[in-house]
Amino acid sequence: MNPVEAMTRQPIATDQDVVRVRQLVRSAAVAANLPLIDQTKLVTAASELARNTLVHGGGGYACVERVSNGRKIGVRVLFVDEGPGIADLDQALTDGYTTGSGLGLGLSGSRRLCDDFAIETAAGDGTRVTVTKWAR
Ligand SMILES: Nc1ncnc2c1ncn2[C@@H]1O[C@H](COP(=O)(O)OP(=O)(O)OP(=O)(O)O)[C@@H](O)[C@H]1O
Ligand SMILES: [Mg+2]
């Protein structure tokens, strides 16, 4: 992964953009030496979150970055949109809850698949989701 490319805002406006973000996250996970199982978990979570950005948020962007806490390294991915936001976050994080036609497992599943998971959102105020996977 080219670090400059990764840090750049990756637009999420089309299905093809979701594929590109997924590929970039995969490259970052490989470069950070995440075990294959953790690469797959992070890529799966990122794919779900990118799709949410597109479908529910009306599009936005992602940033992929390598992070370190002094002892270990990892990969962090940020998703940002300026869509309707999420009024009831507990409800949105419940397995099976959906306002669309999906399974309602994207958000809750992403939280389980990653080490750190944070959402900032409010009704009318867009959504920012950050996920991190650390190398062990
Ligand atoms: N970026 C977002 N902006 C606004 N609402 C969102 C966003 N992401 C998730 N939500 C809300 O949270 C709900 C749950 O999201 P989740 O990803 O779990 O399910 P889904 O996208 O509906 O279905 P699935 O991901 O299983 O195909 C969504 O139906 C939507 O109402
Ligand atoms: Mg979803």
Side-chain angles (χ1 to χ4, degrees):
M1 172 187 53
N2 174 336
V4 176
E5 178 200 3
M7 284 294 294
T8 306
R9 291 180 178 194
Q10 305 291 323
I12 300 178
T14 66
D15 286 340
Q16 189 52 42
D17 290 337
V18 173
V19 172
R20 200 173 27 74
V21 167
R22 186 161 61 208
Q23 287 166 346
L24 193 60
V25 171
R26 169 80 64 190
S27 307
V30 170
N33 283 322
L34 292 191
L36 180 59
I37 182 74
D38 292 334
Q39 292 174 25
T40 304
K41 287 178 179 176
L42 181 64
V43 169
T44 301
S47 185
E48 288 295 330
L49 295 171
R51 187 145 295 288
N52 281 354
T53 300
L54 179 63
V55 172
H56 303 298
Y61 65 88
C63 293
V64 186
E65 62 179 331
R66 183 153 157 167
V67 289
S68 166
N69 68 2
R71 286 185 299 125
K72 34 186 194 175
I73 61 169
V75 177
R76 177 152 65 208
V77 193
L78 165 72
F79 297 89
V80 179
D81 68 63
E82 295 182 349
I86 301 173
D88 187 336
L89 195 51
D90 283 345
Q91 189 178 47
L93 281 164
T94 302
D95 280 350
Y97 176 81
T98 178
T99 55
S101 54
L103 293 174
L105 290 171
L107 216 49
S108 54
S110 300
R111 178 159 69 168
R112 282 191 293 270
L113 288 169
C114 294
D115 297 323
D116 303 339
F117 180 93
I119 302 190
E120 294 168 63
T121 185
D125 220 16
T127 302
R128 297 170 65 92
V129 185
T130 310
V131 291
T132 308
K133 197 84 188 159
W134 294 102
R136 280 154 220 296

